[in-house]
C-alpha cells in the first residue's frame, strides 16, 4: 500500500487579494477601463494622477489613518477612490463616510478659493461579500449608487459633488451591462472571456500567483499578525467605548451615581477596576 502524501495544490490568490488587486490596478489602462464601465455616464477620458495605497491621515497621532487602495484623478479634476472589500461589515457606510472626510480634508481650500473648487468625488467599493448589512434593509441588487437626497423627498438631491458606488459581486446583475457582469466574474475568480481587458487581468492574476507568490504570502502572514495584535487592542477599546456609552445612557435616564456605578460594575467589573470606572464616570460628566 502506498503512503505517499497526496499533492495539495498551492492556494490561489484571486483578484480580490490586497496585493494582487493593487498590482493589477496599477495598469492604468485597465484601471481607466474599470472606471469607464462602472461610471459610463461620466465619459472619463484620461487618468492624469494615479496613486496606489495612498496613505491619508493628519498630524494628530491619536487619529485613525486610512490607506486608499487606488486613488485616481481624471483630466477634469474628478477624484476616484477604488476599494476592494472582502468582508461583510455593518459599518461599511461609516467607513465610506470617513474616507470621504479624509479625501475632502486632503483638499484644503485656501483664502480666496471658492467651494466650487472642491472636486467631484466618487468612492467605489468592490465587494466580494454581501454589503447589505450596512443598509437599512436587505437588498440583493448588485450595483448601488448613493448620493445625498432629501429624506422627505427622494427626488430632491443636494448637489454636494459626492457619489458612493457599491458593487456586490454576488448580487443580482439583472439589467446591468455585460461588462459589469464580467467584472463580477473576475472578482469571484471565475473564468472571464468577454474582451481583452478582462482576459489580460485574469492572465495577470495568474502571473502574479507564480512570479510574486513569496511577496503575497509574506504580506498575508504579516497582515494576520497585525490583525491578531490589533484585535487585543480593539477589544479593550471597544469595551471602554461600551462602558462610556452605558454611563451616558444611564445618566440621561436619571439614575443616581451609585446606581450607575453598580450597573456598570456588574457588566464591566471584570475588565476595569472600581477606580477606572469612577474615572470613566467623571469624564462622561465633563463630556471628555
Amino acid at each position: 500500500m502506498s503512503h505517499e502524501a497526496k499533492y495539495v495544490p498551492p492556494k490561489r490568490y484571486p483578484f480580490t487579494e490586497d496585493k494582487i488587486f493593487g498590482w493589477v490596478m496599477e495598469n492604468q489602462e485597465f484601471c481607466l477601463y474599470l472606471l469607464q464601465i462602472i461610471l459610463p455616464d461620466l465619459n472619463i477620458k484620461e487618468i492624469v494622477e494615479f496613486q496606489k495605497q495612498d496613505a491619508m491621515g493628519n498630524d494628530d497621532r491619536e487619529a485613525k489613518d486610512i490607506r486608499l487602495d487606488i486613488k485616481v484623478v481624471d483630466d477634469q479634476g474628478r477624484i476616484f477612490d477604488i476599494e476592494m472589500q472582502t468582508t461583510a461589515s455593518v459599518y461599511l457606510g461609516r467607513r465610506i463616510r470617513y474616507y470621504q472626510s479624509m479625501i475632502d480634508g486632503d483638499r484644503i481650500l485656501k483664502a480666496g478659493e471658492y467651494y466650487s473648487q472642491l472636486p467631484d468625488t466618487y468612492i467605489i467599493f468592490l465587494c466580494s461579500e454581501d454589503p447589505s448589512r450596512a443598509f437599512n434593509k436587505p437588498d440583493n441588487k448588485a450595483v448601488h449608487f448613493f448620493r445625498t437626497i432629501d429624506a422627505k423627498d427622494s427626488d430632491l438631491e443636494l448637489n454636494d459633488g459626492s457619489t458612493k458606488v457599491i458593487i456586490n459581486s454576488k448580487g443580482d446583475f439583472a439589467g446591468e451591462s455585460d461588462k459589469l457582469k464580467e467584472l463580477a466574474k473576475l472578482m469571484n475568480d471565475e473564468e472571464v472571456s468577454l474582451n481583452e481587458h478582462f482576459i489580460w487581468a485574469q492572465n495577470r492574476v495568474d502571473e502574479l500567483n507564480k512570479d510574486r507568490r513569496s511577496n503575497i504570502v509574506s504580506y498575508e502572514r504579516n497582515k494576520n499578525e497585525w490583525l491578531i495584535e490589533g484585535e487585543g487592542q480593539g477589544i479593550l477599546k471597544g469595551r471602554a467605548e461600551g462602558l462610556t456609552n452605558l454611563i451616558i445612557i444611564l445618566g440621561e435616564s436619571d439614575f443616581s451615581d451609585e446606581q450607575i456605578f453598580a450597573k456598570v460594575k456588574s457588566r464591566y467589573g471584570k475588565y476595569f477596576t472600581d477606580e477606572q470606572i469612577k474615572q470613566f464616570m467623571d469624564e462622561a460628566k465633563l463630556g471628555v
Side-chain angles (χ1 to χ4, degrees):
M1 180 182 292
S2 173
H3 294 284
E4 291 183 5
K6 183 180 180 181
Y7 172 71
V8 178
K11 175 181 177 180
R12 172 183 165 81
Y13 293 97
F15 173 64
T16 54
E17 193 277 333
D18 284 352
K19 300 295 283 185
I20 295 277
F21 178 66
W23 285 327
V24 172
M25 293 296 289
E26 69 185 7
N27 181 310
Q28 294 189 31
E29 181 180 347
F30 182 71
C31 181
L32 175 62
Y33 176 71
L34 283 196
L35 288 174
Q36 290 171 335
I37 67 173
I38 294 170
L39 299 161
D41 294 339
L42 294 188
N43 196 28
I44 305 169
K45 295 292 188 183
E46 181 184 359
I47 291 175
V48 297
E49 183 180 329
F50 176 93
Q51 295 176 342
K52 184 177 72 171
Q53 289 285 306
D54 181 35
M56 303 190 73
N58 56 38
D59 294 332
D60 183 354
R61 292 184 181 272
E62 297 299 317
K64 181 178 179 65
D65 287 345
I66 62 173
R67 187 172 293 274
L68 304 183
D69 284 350
I70 304 294
K71 180 185 173 185
V72 167
V73 181
D74 76 348
D75 58 348
Q76 296 188 42
R78 298 172 293 197
I79 296 175
F80 303 87
D81 168 33
I82 311 173
E83 301 289 325
M84 181 61 71
Q85 176 80 14
T86 58
T87 58
S89 172
V90 69
Y91 299 113
L92 178 61
R94 294 179 183 272
R95 180 181 174 188
I96 293 174
R97 170 182 162 190
Y98 192 63
Y99 280 33
Q100 180 70 59
S101 70
M102 297 305 289
I103 291 172
D104 286 342
D106 198 45
R107 174 65 175 90
I108 303 298
L109 291 177
K110 299 179 176 62
E113 292 186 320
Y114 301 96
Y115 293 117
S116 60
Q117 292 175 264
L118 282 175
D120 289 348
T121 60
Y122 298 81
I123 299 177
I124 302 167
F125 266 75
L126 305 178
C127 301
S128 61
E129 297 295 334
D130 181 13
S132 67
R133 288 183 61 198
F135 303 163
N136 65 336
K137 62 180 181 180
D139 192 301
N140 193 43
K141 290 195 298 293
V143 183
H144 301 271
F145 283 80
F146 294 97
R147 294 193 176 95
T148 307
I149 62 169
D150 187 339
K152 292 185 177 182
D153 180 0
S154 60
D155 291 328
L156 185 60
E157 182 178 330
L158 182 66
N159 294 321
D160 58 8
S162 65
T163 302
K164 294 87 175 175
V165 183
I166 298 177
I167 296 179
N168 174 14
S169 70
K170 305 291 196 309
D172 181 2
F173 279 83
E176 300 297 341
S177 70
D178 290 341
K179 296 172 183 177
L180 286 182
K181 293 175 183 176
E182 198 78 350
L183 171 59
K185 286 184 179 181
L186 181 65
M187 291 174 62
N188 296 335
D189 208 25
E190 301 170 11
E191 185 176 355
V192 297
S193 59
L194 181 67
N195 60 38
E196 60 183 8
H197 298 286
F198 287 112
I199 293 173
W200 172 86
Q202 194 158 72
N203 288 339
R204 182 62 177 148
V205 172
D206 293 339
E207 291 172 0
L208 291 167
N209 269 272
K210 297 175 183 176
D211 301 339
R212 307 291 292 273
R213 185 170 191 82
S214 61
N215 300 90
I216 302 170
V217 172
S218 176
Y219 170 79
E220 290 293 327
R221 184 189 302 118
N222 290 336
K223 186 172 72 170
N224 289 334
E225 291 174 357
W226 299 331
L227 289 173
I228 291 171
E229 180 182 349
E231 185 178 46
Q233 298 174 359
I235 289 173
L236 181 61
K237 182 179 178 181
R239 285 172 179 157
E241 291 175 348
L243 184 154
T244 300
N245 289 336
L246 179 59
I247 291 172
I248 293 172
I249 291 171
L250 293 174
E252 292 175 346
S253 300
D254 295 327
F255 284 93
S256 68
D257 285 352
E258 292 76 13
Q259 290 173 315
I260 293 174
F261 177 82
K263 289 181 179 293
V264 171
K265 183 175 180 179
S266 68
R267 183 173 297 187
Y268 292 98
K270 60 182 177 180
Y271 308 117
F272 299 95
T273 65
D274 289 2
E275 290 74 19
Q276 288 173 323
I277 292 173
K278 290 176 182 178
Q279 183 177 348
F280 277 113
M281 290 176 62
D282 291 340
E283 291 175 350
K285 288 180 182 179
L286 295 173
V288 176

